[in-house]
Amino acid sequence: MKIKNICCIGAGYVGGPTMAVIAENCPHIKVTVVDLNAQRIKDWNDEDLSNLPIYEPDLAGVVKIARGRNLFFSTDVEKAIHEAEMIFISVNTPTKTYGVGKGMAADLKFIELCARQIADVSKTDKIVVEKSTLPVRTAQTINTILTSKQNGVKFQVLSNPEFLAEGSAIADLYNPDRVLIGGGDSKDDQLAVQALFEIYNNWVAKDKIITTNLWSSELSKLTANAFLAQRISSINSFSALCEKTGSDIDEIAQAVGADSRIGSKFLKSSVGFGGSCFQKDILNLVYLCRQFNLPEVADYWEQVIKINDYQKNRFVKNIIYSLFNTVSGKKIAILGWAFKKDTNDTRESPAIYVTDQLLQDKAEIHIFDPKVCAKQIYSDLEDIQIQRKNIYSGGLQVLSINAIRKMVKVHNNPYNALKDSHAVCILTEWEEFKTYDWKKVYKNMLKPAFLFDGRGVLLKEAINEIGFNFYSIGK
Ligand code: UDX
Ligand code: ADP
């Protein structure tokens, strides 16, 4: 079966770049990306490519080649579903904030809505591909909904999890370590797997495309994210030990990573991992294990989240202790709001948590990020108050929008954010932070001047020499 028409539901950080790369590499396939969010679609269609809704290196170039040729962005979900032979579901699956599984389970309401809409609209057979990360056996739920109409339309459900990392999405999509396709055993299922295989094979070598059964594919994605997050929590747990023993976490990472069984990647100690995947997926994994009555396995993986929370907490406590046990009324500059460099995505960014904690201690916060706008920053800080109300409460104060606006200022220029501050925190590893004139920054700060590097961006000797009281994670 040769696919000529693809629809992708969800024009976010996964759907947008993935479909752009498929369209670029498969000019013979029409790819339509749809989303309910009209502003997002308008931004994807903006003539000025610097206004695309997500920032991702090299994305604009790919969109420029394919958009209008065989790549389209639209809000007409029904039409795109109707015309497509293959439909990717690429919608968000956040952690549930209500009801059963609140704070742990993945909220599948958007997935369910998509399945219902596909079932309602489809008049011809469709291959439905899960792209979003989902709890194992979600394909069964999707299949049950799709086939409930009993109108003679045949559906094949495949799992094809996306492994791209933000900030390197285009490079990852062009040159993936592997593509994973999970499908059922029936002849039609296998034809569907083959159809998707052929799409990727337009630019990915055959031996890099792995096919498995549906459930292995769904669970592989959770496993991969759990392993990756575990590495960060492992190195972060040692960073705490380094600070007590005079060891240096970067030297340890280098020595340990040289062992080919361990490998050198993903061993950078930090203020903690963020992003839309790791925390959500591990919470979901823990929830699944408890559901399947595997409490020991659940506890094991929950510890990865606990260490990540510990690391963020430890970082904030260290700031407060260093600043003589109070930050009340003190000006603290935050450099970096995105959850990692080269993206404007802020979901679960440690910066949100660190800032919120400093606000609880009545600090005055001045923020600069090269790619995140003020609107997003304020909205993140407001959201965490709502979450606190809904999930955590934990004795912490819920700050009003007015209080946040009064205590937090967002700057377009880093030097303005840093001027007259008592302390500066680096919370994203943006390359440009290395190029700042730190001597000038020091001169314009209040003394004693403190610098808390949560990403190991700056060199300890150079910064100490300038006169800063310098703290770098794991040193
Ligand atoms: C992750 C997975 O890498 C990707 O395969 C999956 O598809 C989605 O989730 P992403 O969240 O986009 O991708 O970015 P990633 O590079 O994994 O970073 C996640 C977080 O871990 C970031 O906050 C990053 O700063 C942090 N990190 C990463 C570290 O603290 N240390 C490291 O060594 C690596
Ligand atoms: P991800 O990082 O997984 O791509 P995003 O939140 O960036 O997540 O993107 C998911 C997109 O899916 C959002 O733009 C959201 O508006 C869209 N979406 C969610 N549900 C539906 C739906 N039923 N129909 C169309 N689009 C949807």
Side-chain angles (χ1 to χ4, degrees):
M1 185 191 331
K2 282 257 178 283
I3 301 294
K4 293 196 204 70
N5 206 320
I6 287 178
C7 157
C8 172
I9 308 180
Y13 284 88
V14 174
T18 309
M19 292 304 127
V21 169
I22 291 185
E24 193 200 353
N25 286 291
C26 309
H28 53 287
I29 302 178
K30 181 181 173 191
V31 180
T32 308
V33 190
V34 291
D35 204 295
L36 295 173
N37 182 336
Q39 182 61 46
R40 221 170 203 187
I41 291 298
K42 190 163 169 268
D43 293 342
W44 277 112
N45 282 322
D46 203 307
E47 278 295 306
D48 180 353
L49 290 164
S50 65
N51 289 336
L52 293 183
I54 67 178
Y55 172 72
E56 189 62 64
D58 302 326
L59 172 65
V62 179
V63 172
K64 190 171 176 205
I65 293 169
R67 196 178 61 186
R69 181 188 74 179
N70 64 327
L71 174 65
F72 304 91
F73 294 92
S74 163
T75 49
D76 196 343
V77 182
E78 290 200 358
K79 179 165 177 272
I81 292 176
H82 181 71
E83 289 176 356
E85 295 134 355
M86 182 177 274
I87 301 164
F88 287 81
I89 303 184
S90 218
V91 300
N92 37 336
T93 51
T95 305
K96 262 185 104 174
T97 53
Y98 54 89
V100 176
K102 174 172 158 175
M104 297 292 285
D107 191 343
L108 299 181
K109 72 174 175 217
F110 301 117
I111 296 279
E112 197 183 316
L113 276 172
C114 286
R116 287 185 192 282
Q117 197 167 16
I118 296 170
D120 285 341
V121 171
S122 298
K123 299 270 181 291
T124 51
D125 298 349
K126 314 275 181 207
I127 299 171
V128 176
V129 186
E130 299 174 340
K131 251 285 162 229
S132 320
T133 309
L134 297 165
V136 58
R137 299 203 79 88
T138 303
Q140 202 167 27
T141 312
I142 295 178
N143 201 37
T144 307
I145 296 171
L146 290 175
T147 50
S148 63
K149 287 257 153 187
Q150 297 185 320
N151 57 359
V153 175
K154 277 199 291 184
F155 294 100
Q156 254 58 55
V157 181
L158 302 179
S159 158
N160 171 222
E162 188 45 65
F163 294 101
L164 68 80
E166 288 174 32
S168 56
I170 300 301
D172 294 344
L173 286 161
Y174 259 96
N175 199 6
D177 286 341
R178 78 318 209 171
V179 167
L180 180 58
I181 304 175
D185 291 334
S186 74
K187 190 164 164 250
D188 284 344
D189 284 329
Q190 284 305 305
L191 283 174
V193 169
Q194 189 57 30
L196 185 54
F197 186 104
E198 277 170 25
I199 291 174
Y200 282 109
N201 195 215
N202 281 296
W203 78 98
V204 180
K206 279 191 171 65
D207 60 355
K208 284 201 168 172
I209 309 178
I210 301 171
T211 54
T212 65
N213 79 28
L214 265 175
W215 324 124
S216 305
S217 172
E218 286 181 337
L219 192 55
S220 294
K221 171 67 184 179
L222 277 187
T223 313
N225 276 351
F227 270 53
L228 289 169
Q230 184 195 40
R231 268 174 88 86
I232 303 170
S233 280
S234 297
I235 200 78
N236 281 345
S237 69
F238 277 98
S239 74
L241 199 52
C242 280
E243 289 168 26
K244 301 279 183 206
T245 56
S247 326
D248 178 319
I249 198 65
D250 286 338
E251 289 179 353
I252 290 189
Q254 194 190 3
V256 170
D259 185 326
S260 60
R261 292 169 304 174
I262 296 174
S264 59
K265 290 182 184 164
F266 245 72
L267 283 180
K268 183 74 187 161
S269 176
S270 68
V271 57
F273 58 73
S276 69
C277 285
F278 286 167
Q279 175 162 306
K280 177 195 77 173
D281 288 353
I282 293 181
L283 287 172
N284 177 11
L285 175 66
V286 171
Y287 184 74
L288 277 177
C289 292
R290 297 234 158 93
Q291 266 191 328
F292 290 122
N293 198 21
L294 300 168
E296 289 81 1
V297 185
D299 292 349
Y300 177 75
W301 287 106
E302 193 166 34
Q303 203 56 33
V304 172
I305 299 287
K306 286 190 180 157
I307 288 288
N308 200 48
D309 288 342
Y310 162 76
Q311 189 76 345
K312 290 183 274 186
N313 228 335
R314 203 166 75 74
F315 187 78
V316 177
K317 276 194 183 143
N318 183 38
I319 297 172
I320 296 174
Y321 290 152
S322 306
L323 293 177
F324 318 110
N325 259 333
T326 178
V327 290
S328 173
K330 289 181 182 162
K331 177 175 171 182
I332 301 190
I334 303 281
L335 291 184
W337 193 259
F339 82 95
K340 63 185 278 197
K341 70 174 178 179
D342 291 338
T343 178
N344 61 345
D345 193 352
T346 64
R347 287 176 289 182
E348 299 298 338
S349 178
I352 304 172
Y353 179 85
V354 169
T355 302
D356 179 53
Q357 293 288 311
L358 292 171
L359 288 174
Q360 291 284 334
D361 232 84
K362 302 189 189 313
E364 184 194 310
I365 306 286
H366 291 252
I367 302 169
F368 170 78
D369 185 285
K371 290 288 174 199
V372 182
C373 62
K375 191 170 161 230
Q376 183 63 49
I377 294 175
Y378 286 121
S379 139
D380 290 336
L381 286 169
E382 285 161 27
D383 282 353
I384 195 171
Q385 311 305 320
I386 297 168
Q387 273 180 39
R388 172 164 309 128
K389 238 193 235 163
N390 286 341
I391 305 178
Y392 307 117
S393 63
L396 291 174
Q397 227 188 315
V398 177
L399 300 168
S400 69
I401 295 176
N402 280 346
I404 292 172
R405 299 259 160 180
K406 234 165 117 185
M407 294 160 87
V408 179
K409 192 162 175 1
V410 180
H411 295 262
N412 295 324
N413 176 313
Y415 291 95
N416 291 344
L418 292 158
K419 196 168 179 312
D420 295 329
S421 60
H422 291 81
V424 44
C425 310
I426 299 181
L427 298 179
T428 312
E429 68 280 22
W430 287 103
E431 289 296 324
E432 68 169 65
F433 298 160
K434 294 180 188 162
T435 66
Y436 288 1
D437 183 345
W438 286 102
K439 275 191 187 146
K440 182 175 150 192
V441 171
Y442 178 75
K443 224 172 106 198
N444 290 330
M445 281 175 67
L446 298 180
K447 309 294 177 317
F450 290 83
L451 204 167
F452 301 93
D453 185 352
R455 294 285 181 174
V457 170
L458 301 176
L459 288 177
K460 193 169 181 178
E461 292 70 29
I463 296 297
N464 277 340
E465 210 171 272
I466 294 172
F468 279 104
N469 287 299
F470 184 56
Y471 165 83
S472 184
I473 287 255
K475 309 231 175 204

mmCIF file of all heavy atoms in Angstrom, residues 253-278:
data_model
loop_
_atom_site.group_PDB
_atom_site.id
_atom_site.type_symbol
_atom_site.label_atom_id
_atom_site.label_comp_id
_atom_site.label_asym_id
_atom_site.label_seq_id
_atom_site.Cartn_x
_atom_site.Cartn_y
_atom_site.Cartn_z
ATOM 1 N N ALA A 253 32.073 12.500 35.681
ATOM 2 C CA ALA A 253 31.286 12.123 34.489
ATOM 3 C C ALA A 253 32.223 11.703 33.359
ATOM 4 O O ALA A 253 31.960 10.720 32.649
ATOM 5 C CB ALA A 253 30.410 13.285 34.053
ATOM 6 N N GLN A 254 33.333 12.434 33.233
ATOM 7 C CA GLN A 254 34.278 12.097 32.162
ATOM 8 C C GLN A 254 34.921 10.722 32.416
ATOM 9 O O GLN A 254 34.992 9.876 31.514
ATOM 10 C CB GLN A 254 35.360 13.179 32.092
ATOM 11 C CG GLN A 254 36.177 13.090 30.821
ATOM 12 C CD GLN A 254 37.396 13.998 30.845
ATOM 13 O OE1 GLN A 254 37.679 14.667 31.843
ATOM 14 N NE2 GLN A 254 38.115 14.022 29.750
ATOM 15 N N ALA A 255 35.338 10.517 33.661
ATOM 16 C CA ALA A 255 36.018 9.251 33.998
ATOM 17 C C ALA A 255 35.049 8.064 33.859
ATOM 18 O O ALA A 255 35.398 7.023 33.303
ATOM 19 C CB ALA A 255 36.565 9.331 35.423
ATOM 20 N N VAL A 256 33.848 8.255 34.344
ATOM 21 C CA VAL A 256 32.863 7.159 34.328
ATOM 22 C C VAL A 256 32.357 6.912 32.899
ATOM 23 O O VAL A 256 32.225 5.771 32.449
ATOM 24 C CB VAL A 256 31.681 7.518 35.262
ATOM 25 C CG1 VAL A 256 30.532 6.555 35.092
ATOM 26 C CG2 VAL A 256 32.149 7.522 36.716
ATOM 27 N N GLY A 257 32.121 8.008 32.179
ATOM 28 C CA GLY A 257 31.567 7.905 30.827
ATOM 29 C C GLY A 257 32.536 7.282 29.833
ATOM 30 O O GLY A 257 32.128 6.835 28.757
ATOM 31 N N ALA A 258 33.830 7.255 30.171
ATOM 32 C CA ALA A 258 34.825 6.654 29.267
ATOM 33 C C ALA A 258 34.650 5.136 29.188
ATOM 34 O O ALA A 258 35.143 4.496 28.263
ATOM 35 C CB ALA A 258 36.237 7.000 29.742
ATOM 36 N N ASP A 259 33.962 4.574 30.142
ATOM 37 C CA ASP A 259 33.648 3.138 30.099
ATOM 38 C C ASP A 259 32.581 2.942 29.024
ATOM 39 O O ASP A 259 31.476 3.476 29.143
ATOM 40 C CB ASP A 259 33.109 2.722 31.486
ATOM 41 C CG ASP A 259 32.876 1.223 31.583
ATOM 42 O OD1 ASP A 259 32.496 0.617 30.560
ATOM 43 O OD2 ASP A 259 33.059 0.687 32.680
ATOM 44 N N SER A 260 32.925 2.172 27.990
ATOM 45 C CA SER A 260 31.986 2.076 26.857
ATOM 46 C C SER A 260 30.670 1.430 27.270
ATOM 47 O O SER A 260 29.650 1.613 26.610
ATOM 48 C CB SER A 260 32.613 1.330 25.688
ATOM 49 O OG SER A 260 32.953 0.027 26.106
ATOM 50 N N ARG A 261 30.679 0.677 28.376
ATOM 51 C CA ARG A 261 29.403 0.099 28.816
ATOM 52 C C ARG A 261 28.487 1.181 29.374
ATOM 53 O O ARG A 261 27.270 1.052 29.365
ATOM 54 C CB ARG A 261 29.649 -0.967 29.909
ATOM 55 C CG ARG A 261 30.361 -2.198 29.400
ATOM 56 C CD ARG A 261 30.798 -3.061 30.545
ATOM 57 N NE ARG A 261 31.648 -2.315 31.484
ATOM 58 C CZ ARG A 261 32.088 -2.793 32.646
ATOM 59 N NH1 ARG A 261 31.752 -4.004 33.012
ATOM 60 N NH2 ARG A 261 32.847 -2.063 33.427
ATOM 61 N N ILE A 262 29.082 2.253 29.892
ATOM 62 C CA ILE A 262 28.263 3.338 30.470
ATOM 63 C C ILE A 262 27.998 4.408 29.412
ATOM 64 O O ILE A 262 26.858 4.825 29.225
ATOM 65 C CB ILE A 262 28.974 3.920 31.722
ATOM 66 C CG1 ILE A 262 29.065 2.828 32.800
ATOM 67 C CG2 ILE A 262 28.223 5.142 32.258
ATOM 68 C CD1 ILE A 262 29.866 3.206 34.020
ATOM 69 N N GLY A 263 29.050 4.833 28.705
ATOM 70 C CA GLY A 263 28.888 5.850 27.653
ATOM 71 C C GLY A 263 28.915 7.261 28.226
ATOM 72 O O GLY A 263 28.569 7.478 29.395
ATOM 73 N N SER A 264 29.339 8.218 27.388
ATOM 74 C CA SER A 264 29.610 9.561 27.912
ATOM 75 C C SER A 264 28.418 10.511 27.819
ATOM 76 O O SER A 264 28.429 11.581 28.415
ATOM 77 C CB SER A 264 30.792 10.155 27.153
ATOM 78 O OG SER A 264 30.457 10.199 25.784
ATOM 79 N N LYS A 265 27.382 10.133 27.058
ATOM 80 C CA LYS A 265 26.280 11.087 26.874
ATOM 81 C C LYS A 265 25.322 11.087 28.070
ATOM 82 O O LYS A 265 25.230 10.097 28.789
ATOM 83 C CB LYS A 265 25.494 10.718 25.621
ATOM 84 C CG LYS A 265 26.268 10.975 24.359
ATOM 85 C CD LYS A 265 25.420 10.639 23.161
ATOM 86 C CE LYS A 265 26.240 10.794 21.890
ATOM 87 N NZ LYS A 265 25.570 10.129 20.777
ATOM 88 N N PHE A 266 24.633 12.224 28.208
ATOM 89 C CA PHE A 266 23.571 12.321 29.219
ATOM 90 C C PHE A 266 24.094 12.158 30.640
ATOM 91 O O PHE A 266 23.454 11.533 31.485
ATOM 92 C CB PHE A 266 22.473 11.277 28.925
ATOM 93 C CG PHE A 266 21.175 11.935 28.570
ATOM 94 C CD1 PHE A 266 21.020 12.579 27.352
ATOM 95 C CD2 PHE A 266 20.116 11.961 29.461
ATOM 96 C CE1 PHE A 266 19.842 13.221 27.021
ATOM 97 C CE2 PHE A 266 18.934 12.600 29.149
ATOM 98 C CZ PHE A 266 18.795 13.220 27.917
ATOM 99 N N LEU A 267 25.277 12.707 30.883
ATOM 100 C CA LEU A 267 25.846 12.635 32.237
ATOM 101 C C LEU A 267 26.171 14.032 32.738
ATOM 102 O O LEU A 267 27.064 14.191 33.556
ATOM 103 C CB LEU A 267 27.120 11.782 32.220
ATOM 104 C CG LEU A 267 26.931 10.259 32.153
ATOM 105 C CD1 LEU A 267 28.281 9.554 32.155
ATOM 106 C CD2 LEU A 267 26.086 9.745 33.332
ATOM 107 N N LYS A 268 25.443 15.029 32.245
ATOM 108 C CA LYS A 268 25.723 16.392 32.694
ATOM 109 C C LYS A 268 24.857 16.691 33.911
ATOM 110 O O LYS A 268 23.625 16.711 33.827
ATOM 111 C CB LYS A 268 25.407 17.372 31.540
ATOM 112 C CG LYS A 268 25.711 18.805 31.847
ATOM 113 C CD LYS A 268 27.184 19.081 31.837
ATOM 114 C CE LYS A 268 27.488 20.492 32.316
ATOM 115 N NZ LYS A 268 28.880 20.665 32.739
ATOM 116 N N SER A 269 25.546 16.942 35.002
ATOM 117 C CA SER A 269 24.813 17.255 36.228
ATOM 118 C C SER A 269 24.140 18.628 36.083
ATOM 119 O O SER A 269 24.672 19.515 35.440
ATOM 120 C CB SER A 269 25.800 17.265 37.380
ATOM 121 O OG SER A 269 25.137 17.638 38.536
ATOM 122 N N SER A 270 22.977 18.776 36.679
ATOM 123 C CA SER A 270 22.236 20.027 36.493
ATOM 124 C C SER A 270 21.317 20.272 37.682
ATOM 125 O O SER A 270 21.200 19.438 38.583
ATOM 126 C CB SER A 270 21.387 19.945 35.220
ATOM 127 O OG SER A 270 20.352 19.002 35.400
ATOM 128 N N VAL A 271 20.625 21.412 37.606
ATOM 129 C CA VAL A 271 19.647 21.763 38.638
ATOM 130 C C VAL A 271 18.440 20.807 38.587
ATOM 131 O O VAL A 271 17.571 20.843 39.450
ATOM 132 C CB VAL A 271 19.241 23.248 38.477
ATOM 133 C CG1 VAL A 271 18.682 23.513 37.083
ATOM 134 C CG2 VAL A 271 18.243 23.704 39.510
ATOM 135 N N GLY A 272 18.431 19.929 37.597
ATOM 136 C CA GLY A 272 17.339 18.951 37.482
ATOM 137 C C GLY A 272 16.825 18.910 36.057
ATOM 138 O O GLY A 272 16.967 19.884 35.317
ATOM 139 N N PHE A 273 16.245 17.763 35.700
ATOM 140 C CA PHE A 273 15.694 17.697 34.339
ATOM 141 C C PHE A 273 14.315 18.335 34.301
ATOM 142 O O PHE A 273 13.581 18.351 35.278
ATOM 143 C CB PHE A 273 15.654 16.259 33.809
ATOM 144 C CG PHE A 273 14.855 15.275 34.633
ATOM 145 C CD1 PHE A 273 13.465 15.301 34.642
ATOM 146 C CD2 PHE A 273 15.498 14.294 35.384
ATOM 147 C CE1 PHE A 273 12.735 14.381 35.381
ATOM 148 C CE2 PHE A 273 14.775 13.367 36.129
ATOM 149 C CZ PHE A 273 13.393 13.422 36.135
ATOM 150 N N GLY A 274 14.006 18.893 33.127
ATOM 151 C CA GLY A 274 12.663 19.424 32.889
ATOM 152 C C GLY A 274 12.141 18.854 31.591
ATOM 153 O O GLY A 274 12.596 17.798 31.145
ATOM 154 N N GLY A 275 11.185 19.556 30.986
ATOM 155 C CA GLY A 275 10.643 19.089 29.707
ATOM 156 C C GLY A 275 9.322 18.372 29.888
ATOM 157 O O GLY A 275 8.956 17.970 30.992
ATOM 158 N N SER A 276 8.650 18.198 28.770
ATOM 159 C CA SER A 276 7.281 17.674 28.836
ATOM 160 C C SER A 276 7.249 16.167 29.036
ATOM 161 O O SER A 276 6.190 15.609 29.285
ATOM 162 C CB SER A 276 6.543 18.028 27.553
ATOM 163 O OG SER A 276 7.102 17.295 26.481
ATOM 164 N N CYS A 277 8.398 15.495 28.921
ATOM 165 C CA CYS A 277 8.358 14.023 28.890
ATOM 166 C C CYS A 277 8.763 13.321 30.177
ATOM 167 O O CYS A 277 8.015 12.483 30.684
ATOM 168 C CB CYS A 277 9.244 13.513 27.766
ATOM 169 S SG CYS A 277 8.509 13.747 26.167
ATOM 170 N N PHE A 278 9.968 13.615 30.664
ATOM 171 C CA PHE A 278 10.558 12.743 31.684
ATOM 172 C C PHE A 278 9.666 12.586 32.918
ATOM 173 O O PHE A 278 9.334 11.475 33.327
ATOM 174 C CB PHE A 278 11.949 13.230 32.093
ATOM 175 C CG PHE A 278 13.013 12.977 31.068
ATOM 176 C CD1 PHE A 278 14.257 13.583 31.161
ATOM 177 C CD2 PHE A 278 12.774 12.120 29.996
ATOM 178 C CE1 PHE A 278 15.243 13.344 30.213
ATOM 179 C CE2 PHE A 278 13.747 11.876 29.037
ATOM 180 C CZ PHE A 278 14.984 12.503 29.151
#
